Amino acid sequence: MSAYITVTVMTDSIERFLNMCRHKNIGFWKISETEQGFTANITREDFFQLKDICRKTKTTVRISKRHGIRFLLFRYRRHSSFFIGIAAACIILYSCSLYVWNISFTGNYRYTHSSLCKYLAGQGVYSGMQIRSVDCDSIETALRNDYPDITWVSAEISGTRLIVHIKENDGIKEDIQTDSTPRDIVATCSGVVTSMITRAGTPKVKPGDEVEKGQILVSGIVNVYNDAKEVVNQRPVSADADIFVRVDIPYEEHLPYLYEYKEYTGRKKTRWLFGIADREIEAGVSWSSLKQADIVTDSRVLKLTDSFYLPLRTGRKQYLEYDIKESRYTQEEAEDVLNQKLKIYLLDLIENKVQILHNGVTINDSGTDYVMAGTITADMPAVGYAVVTMPEIEGNEETKAVQ
């Protein structure tokens, strides 16, 4: 908004005064009634049109306050230090606008902000670098190459911020076979084959067969037959198949009776933080009188707008004193802890395409600790690879296997 003025109007005929102002398109806002009239805001241009109206209505108008940069500059027109300060502030802000002061990520769930910032720092991208040195295309390529779970990356500069938009792979990443080296598929575990889909190679087993670890499941050798159905040649291929084997996975987890925990004493010390760029200063009461303490940091970077961050930050550190205490798990607490560990283990199996069929795990008190043990029946991928060994074709010396 342009310069405006807060005025106090004193008159015996408020309605006549306002009607004449309306006739000349003079506007007021934030009107508040007083004993002798009212107070209101009016633009600088409209204020100078009130002279004739005040004379005709015998109204007194007094200026209560002036608002706007125009009045501020006029007030300090003879103070050179004021204008020097404004010029210095403009130079500092311009200098700050040439650097990146904030790096943020969107769409990251598997990878934390700190781990991604640490990675970018290893690539030469960090808070405080010049904007002209930031290569967004290189950042995008590096993240896609070094993080297989990240399927899409877009980096952009917005003001003094570097914003990296990420899209992670939502499902299980499929193994895409690009190596054409001839090879066999061998079993990675012992069990009974439950399902088998062969895309390349010669199957050596079928669903229902029991296999041993290391046994060839799909051969990387494909026979070539003539019209008489005689083998006339053998062609090596890179075997490709989806094979699941039913197995019993042993599981065992021990939990001691006793455990340690932190008990906070209620004593705490607070220290204030002041940072410029990568430098940080703490001020306040020393925390050395505390035996041992957790540190809780709450800080924020100063900014002019959502995209214009400054190299300044403030905050505080709280040091919370605690003592180490020892306690014993109850049966219910032990079951909760062990069940949580089992849940994490099963989720890890599921992420690796293992199909859980039966959970035969139980919890018992061994007399020295709590034990969760048993077997988990599951169908798991059993695809491993081995180099193809080409045999000689019997009865045909002229035919050579292609290695």
Side-chain angles (χ1 to χ4, degrees), residues 95-103 120-121 123-135 139 157 160 162:
S95 300
C96 290
S97 69
L98 302 178
Y99 295 85
V100 172
W101 298 115
N102 176 265
I103 300 177
L120 289 184
Q123 301 293 319
V125 180
Y126 53 89
S127 179
M129 70 180 300
Q130 288 188 332
I131 290 178
R132 66 181 182 183
S133 301
V134 178
D135 188 345
I139 294 173
I157 295 291
T160 60
L162 170 61

Side-chain angles (χ1 to χ4, degrees), residues 101-102 160-161 301-311:
W101 298 115
N102 176 265
T160 60
R161 299 180 66 192
V301 178
L302 301 183
K303 60 181 180 178
L304 297 180
T305 66
D306 289 338
S307 61
F308 198 116
Y309 280 68
L310 299 173

Side-chain angles (χ1 to χ4, degrees), residues 181-244:
T181 304
R183 61 185 184 176
D184 298 325
I185 292 180
V186 297
T188 56
C189 58
S190 300
V192 177
V193 177
T194 57
S195 67
M196 184 173 183
I197 300 175
T198 305
R199 287 180 288 271
T202 303
K204 294 295 184 181
V205 295
K206 62 183 183 300
D209 290 350
E210 187 170 345
V211 297
E212 298 294 331
K213 183 177 180 180
Q215 180 180 339
I216 295 178
L217 305 180
V218 179
S219 173
I221 301 172
V222 177
N223 293 331
V224 179
Y225 297 90
N226 59 15
D227 293 340
K229 295 186 179 181
E230 296 175 342
V231 178
V232 296
N233 200 351
Q234 290 181 322
R235 181 167 57 88
V237 298
S238 180
D240 185 18
D242 292 333
I243 304 171
F244 284 83

Side-chain angles (χ1 to χ4, degrees), residues 259-329:
Y259 67 96
E260 293 182 343
Y261 69 97
K262 296 178 181 179
E263 184 179 80
Y264 292 94
T265 63
R267 295 184 61 200
K268 63 181 181 180
K269 303 291 184 182
T270 301
R271 291 175 64 83
W272 300 98
L273 299 176
F274 303 94
I276 299 177
D278 58 347
R279 297 182 181 274
E280 190 173 273
I281 300 174
E282 291 187 25
V285 181
S286 173
W287 66 281
S288 58
S289 60
L290 304 180
K291 297 178 182 179
Q292 47 194 355
D294 281 338
I295 302 174
V296 179
T297 303
D298 180 19
S299 64
R300 65 188 184 92
V301 178
L302 301 183
K303 60 181 180 178
L304 297 180
T305 66
D306 289 338
S307 61
F308 198 116
Y309 280 68
L310 299 173
L312 304 174
R313 62 184 180 279
T314 61
R316 68 177 183 177
K317 276 187 179 180
Q318 282 193 324
Y319 297 83
L320 309 177
E321 186 183 51
Y322 64 86
D323 293 327
I324 298 296
K325 300 292 184 178
E326 194 175 73
S327 184
R328 179 188 173 106
Y329 285 113

Side-chain angles (χ1 to χ4, degrees), residues 336-348:
D336 290 340
V337 173
L338 291 172
N339 282 327
Q340 186 62 30
K341 291 184 176 182
L342 176 62
K343 181 179 178 180
I344 294 173
Y345 178 76
L346 294 178
L347 287 175
D348 184 61

Side-chain angles (χ1 to χ4, degrees), residues 344-362:
I344 294 173
Y345 178 76
L346 294 178
L347 287 175
D348 184 61
L349 291 178
I350 293 172
E351 287 182 359
N352 287 281
K353 305 181 185 179
V354 177
Q355 301 171 7
I356 308 298
L357 302 177
H358 175 69
N359 179 6
V361 176
T362 58

